[in-house]
Amino acid sequence: QVQLVESGGGLVQPGVSLRLSCAASGMPFSFYTMGWYRQAPGKQRERVASITRGRITNYSDSVKGRFTISRDNAKNTVDLQMNSLKPEDTAVYYCNAAAVPPYWGQGTQVTVSS
């Protein structure tokens, strides 16, 4: 049974940093491209960042230069370091494994507000 479990969300002020982590089990983690997506209220889910099995990374323009995705294949984890957070980063953040069909975590809430 595949499980993706996110952690690290919370309520923070603008400008601070937050680190999300996703722990995967029940799947060949190192084989898959892993990604972080987010969904804000009233908006479609969007891809934030992804990292291939060869550690090639890709970021949305809205987070490029502020967010960093990384993976640890020994621990089956993928992290998202988020710096210089903005109110528009407020969303539920989801971990994704690019399988067919894709695997999703349950999501973790990130709220950026003063």
Side-chain angles (χ1 to χ4, degrees), residues 2-100:
V2 174
Q3 279 194 315
L4 298 177
V5 180
E6 301 99 335
S7 61
L11 171 62
V12 297
Q13 292 187 335
V16 304
S17 300
L18 204 59
R19 189 176 184 90
L20 305 183
S21 186
C22 171
S25 60
M27 59 178 240
F29 177 83
S30 62
F31 178 82
Y32 292 116
T33 291
M34 298 298 297
W36 283 95
Y37 287 67
R38 68 186 181 187
Q39 188 166 18
K43 295 188 176 181
Q44 288 191 329
R45 189 173 298 189
E46 63 171 350
R47 184 174 60 86
V48 174
S50 62
I51 183 166
T52 69
R53 56 190 298 184
R55 290 186 168 79
I56 296 173
T57 59
N58 190 274
Y59 299 93
S60 68
D61 288 343
S62 61
V63 307
K64 200 171 294 183
R66 298 188 298 122
F67 291 11
T68 302
I69 189 171
S70 60
R71 67 189 297 161
D72 186 332
N73 289 339
K75 295 181 179 180
N76 287 2
T77 58
V78 56
D79 291 352
L80 185 68
Q81 177 66 41
M82 306 185 294
N83 298 330
S84 302
L85 282 161
K86 304 175 180 180
E88 51 263 44
D89 294 319
T90 295
V92 178
Y93 284 71
Y94 296 91
C95 179
N96 166 274
V100 181

